[in-house]
Amino acid sequence: MDISRRDFVKLAAVSTAATGISAIPFSSAAANQVSPLAIQSAIPLSSASCRGTSPAAYPKGVAGEEGLRDLLAWFDRLTSANSKMVEKRRLGTSKGGYEISGFFVTNPAIPNEKKQTALIALNRHGQEAGGRVVGPEILNYLVSDDAREIRDSQYVIVIPAMNPDGIAANKFNSSRTQITNLERAVLGPVVKATPPDVMLDYHSLGQSNGARNDRGDMEVIITANTSRWGMDEQAHQYIGLKMAEACEKAGWPYEVHSIDDLWVYYFGERKIGNQPWASLKQKTFVLDTVSPVDGYNAPVDDTEIETFEDPVGYTNYICAPAYQQYHTAIFGAEVNHWSMTRTEDQAKSGLAPCEALLKLGCMRFPWEKDPGYPVNLIHGDFRHSIRAVGANAAELRASRIRLWNQRMYFDTPHRFMPDPTTTVSKVRYIGKDLPLEFAICLRMRHEKINSVTRGNQEVPFETFRDSCSTYVFVPIKMTKPGTVSLTLKHPVY
Ligand SMILES: [Zn+2]
């Protein structure tokens, strides 16, 4: 079945009509569910300054224009109280005249060239009340002692209120099918100047949305709109599962879902007996709605901005161009504004996947040579791949982006063993972006590699290990199109 974008919108609208109330106001949280301890630790927004001075970052709900103004003022206070590590930049202005700001958090004593870049965006959809307290909680965490290692090794950009007009009106105020022009204007320059290594887009589920068959209390980590190129699908799942594990440890039952599930989350009939459509068609359709050439710079027809109180729709597309252009690792998160009645729970639960992700960015993934987000495997698989090269995070990022945009000019790497002591690698590049530097990386059973030869010449190589194998990392410089052939000599296994 061929589904047009128009049908997508119509189908989404049909699903929307069936449901009722969306967000429970935080002020109406049932008193009998709030423990005395929680009341004690609840500090009003106006008095919360930064972590260390209050146990709860942001216990007050944000509602209406007043709530939004409180929220923006709180961000200013946090920035001035932590000016050594937080820089605020105004990135845009909403139609209603509210600022849309980015908060750039890092340790300025360490050069940014040595750091990975993370971009966290929240509150694209105005009625999704849960996300409103998560942004402050994330910033509060980022300025705390607990986040020192993150500040030392990463440059974290938080955009906590992408859609202030929607927040003020408690309405969706966005598009269900595309990145809006305002989002393009806000994100485009930031992403271009600082291509992210990882990106996380926060949303929030309420009473009337969740899975098609399970609504009201889900929280989800979404391995977002990526492709199966290289090992990306597996790498994203790996990260998602690690994030969920950390969330569970902290007491928050997140699920990991991939984009295949999205139609099952949001669309279609809820009647018992209806079969979901084939997941491949669903996935293909959702991916097809993302333009491969969109770099946040292609204006769209904004007449699709919709002001429902609670539409049912999924647009994680805010991240997709970063993946397409820069091979950014992209994720979504759905927090919840219905099942948790205490705002501090919403905030803490919301922080959990972000904290987990940022901590993962300080580690070395088993198949990566260097610590950081696993975005350097550009082509091939874990056993035989083309990798980015560079002496620091900035060089690796530049190399990765360049190679990613040349990926279609590489053949899939060939590997074979003519005898038990020899492994041969052949990689062909027919593009024009020359001279080109990259690495060929092979995963081996052998602990020791005797030599690597290119043509008749021995070439330098590095090795690193995971729990059971050795990766052989061979830097390559190509000056003309053709095939690189490497011969590895190793003991018999
Ligand atoms: Zn949303």
Side-chain angles (χ1 to χ4, degrees):
M1 186 161 76
D2 187 29
I3 314 159
S4 70
R5 168 171 282 193
R6 195 46 58 196
D7 290 332
F8 171 86
V9 173
K10 256 196 303 198
L11 188 54
V14 168
S15 307
T16 309
T19 50
I21 309 164
S22 58
I24 182 167
F26 296 133
S27 54
S28 73
N32 61 0
Q33 290 182 29
V34 182
S35 73
L37 192 67
I39 291 169
Q40 260 177 23
S41 67
I43 312 266
L45 170 59
S46 51
S47 70
S49 57
C50 63
R51 202 170 170 118
T53 61
S54 78
Y58 198 81
K60 183 183 160 186
V62 179
E65 289 182 37
E66 198 194 328
L68 175 64
R69 275 195 294 270
D70 265 6
L71 181 68
L72 299 179
W74 187 91
F75 289 135
D76 283 341
R77 286 202 301 282
L78 178 110
T79 308
S80 40
N82 299 281
S83 56
K84 285 200 178 117
M85 54 181 111
V86 184
E87 185 198 344
K88 173 184 155 178
R89 285 188 214 160
R90 190 171 180 135
L91 306 175
T93 305
S94 72
K95 273 192 187 141
Y98 293 108
E99 66 184 56
I100 301 169
S101 292
F103 297 84
F104 296 67
V105 189
T106 196
N107 174 0
I110 297 173
N112 285 344
E113 289 74 36
K114 294 186 173 174
K115 293 172 188 157
Q116 293 236 298
T117 305
L119 176 53
I120 320 292
L122 301 102
N123 291 299
R124 294 181 60 213
H125 299 156
Q127 91 292 5
E128 294 176 0
R132 296 175 201 165
V133 291
V134 177
E137 188 73 18
I138 289 172
L139 282 166
N140 227 16
Y141 168 71
L142 284 173
V143 300
S144 74
D145 279 349
D146 296 350
R148 190 178 298 274
E149 198 185 349
I150 293 169
R151 290 195 303 272
D152 287 352
S153 62
Q154 297 180 49
Y155 186 61
V156 185
I157 305 164
V158 182
I159 310 178
M162 290 287 297
N163 183 359
D165 293 357
I167 295 173
N170 198 35
K171 289 193 170 160
F172 180 66
N173 190 49
S174 188
S175 165
R176 284 178 295 180
T177 53
Q178 61 199 11
I179 302 170
T180 66
N181 284 331
L182 180 60
E183 288 167 342
R184 288 163 184 281
V186 166
L187 286 173
V190 179
V191 167
K192 198 170 176 191
T194 324
D197 299 301
V198 75
M199 198 164 166
L200 177 57
D201 178 28
Y202 268 93
H203 293 252
S204 172
L205 299 171
Q207 184 194 24
S208 60
N209 45 27
R212 189 193 301 179
N213 306 313
D214 181 357
R215 292 188 177 171
D217 64 353
M218 287 185 89
E219 289 197 289
V220 188
I221 290 158
I222 298 158
T223 50
N225 299 22
T226 57
S227 69
R228 287 180 176 155
W229 194 276
M231 295 306 276
D232 283 353
E233 193 166 50
Q234 208 174 116
H236 286 87
Q237 281 289 321
Y238 184 98
I239 298 170
L241 290 167
K242 290 271 180 206
M243 287 164 74
E245 202 179 290
C247 291
E248 283 169 5
K249 239 185 196 162
W252 310 110
Y254 275 82
E255 315 254 321
V256 178
H257 287 289
S258 71
I259 197 143
D260 304 55
D261 308 338
L262 292 177
W263 279 92
V264 182
Y265 283 175
Y266 293 113
F267 303 116
E269 294 295 327
R270 281 167 57 76
K271 266 191 272 175
I272 294 281
N274 279 1
Q275 293 297 311
W277 296 344
S279 63
L280 183 62
K281 277 182 186 165
Q282 295 163 9
K283 175 162 185 162
T284 304
F285 170 67
V286 179
L287 287 174
D288 280 352
T289 62
V290 180
S291 163
V293 294
D294 191 346
Y296 301 104
N297 52 4
V300 293
D301 177 2
D302 254 354
T303 51
E304 284 194 41
I305 294 281
E306 293 169 287
T307 54
F308 299 107
E309 282 185 6
D310 193 16
V312 178
Y314 176 84
T315 52
N316 199 250
Y317 309 133
I318 195 173
C319 297
Y323 173 77
Q324 303 271 24
Q325 307 263 311
Y326 306 126
H327 198 231
T328 302
I330 62 174
F331 296 90
E334 293 280 3
V335 300
N336 197 287
H337 56 268
W338 177 257
S339 60
M340 282 175 282
T341 53
R342 290 179 301 228
T343 327
E344 62 263 39
D345 283 347
Q346 295 174 356
K348 289 199 169 84
S349 170
L351 167 65
C354 181
E355 180 180 346
L357 181 62
L358 294 173
K359 280 182 177 164
L360 285 167
C362 300
M363 292 170 28
R364 182 177 75 85
F365 283 73
W367 63 91
E368 285 279 352
K369 186 165 79 65
D370 301 302
Y373 298 103
V375 287
N376 299 304
L377 194 163
I378 304 296
H379 198 1
D381 57 22
F382 293 137
R383 276 177 48 76
H384 196 189
S385 58
I386 290 153
R387 309 274 188 126
V389 286
N392 59 34
E395 286 183 18
L396 275 168
R397 185 180 308 122
S399 166
R400 163 190 111 219
I401 293 169
R402 186 174 168 194
L403 291 170
W404 179 242
N405 286 287
Q406 292 295 308
R407 66 193 184 280
M408 62 291 286
Y409 304 116
F410 283 96
D411 281 357
T412 300
H414 287 231
R415 167 176 172 161
F416 55 95
M417 280 182 88
D419 66 66
T421 64
T422 310
T423 298
V424 175
S425 150
K426 284 185 185 293
V427 168
R428 183 167 175 255
Y429 173 73
I430 54 163
K432 292 179 180 159
D433 191 2
L434 293 159
L436 189 61
E437 290 181 40
F438 55 92
I440 295 172
C441 189
L442 292 95
R443 187 184 192 190
M444 309 290 292
R445 291 177 197 284
H446 315 79
E447 271 186 44
K448 190 172 158 33
I449 303 301
N450 299 330
S451 66
V452 179
T453 311
R454 180 179 175 183
N456 297 322
Q457 206 131 57
E458 274 199 31
V459 292
F461 64 94
E462 285 180 61
T463 58
F464 60 96
R465 283 189 61 82
D466 63 14
S467 60
C468 63
S469 62
T470 304
Y471 287 84
V472 181
F473 188 90
V474 189
I476 299 291
K477 185 172 183 178
M478 277 189 100
T479 50
K480 54 180 200 288
T483 303
V484 177
S485 184
L486 299 177
T487 303
L488 281 68
K489 296 302 284 184
H490 44 74
V492 176
Y493 184 82

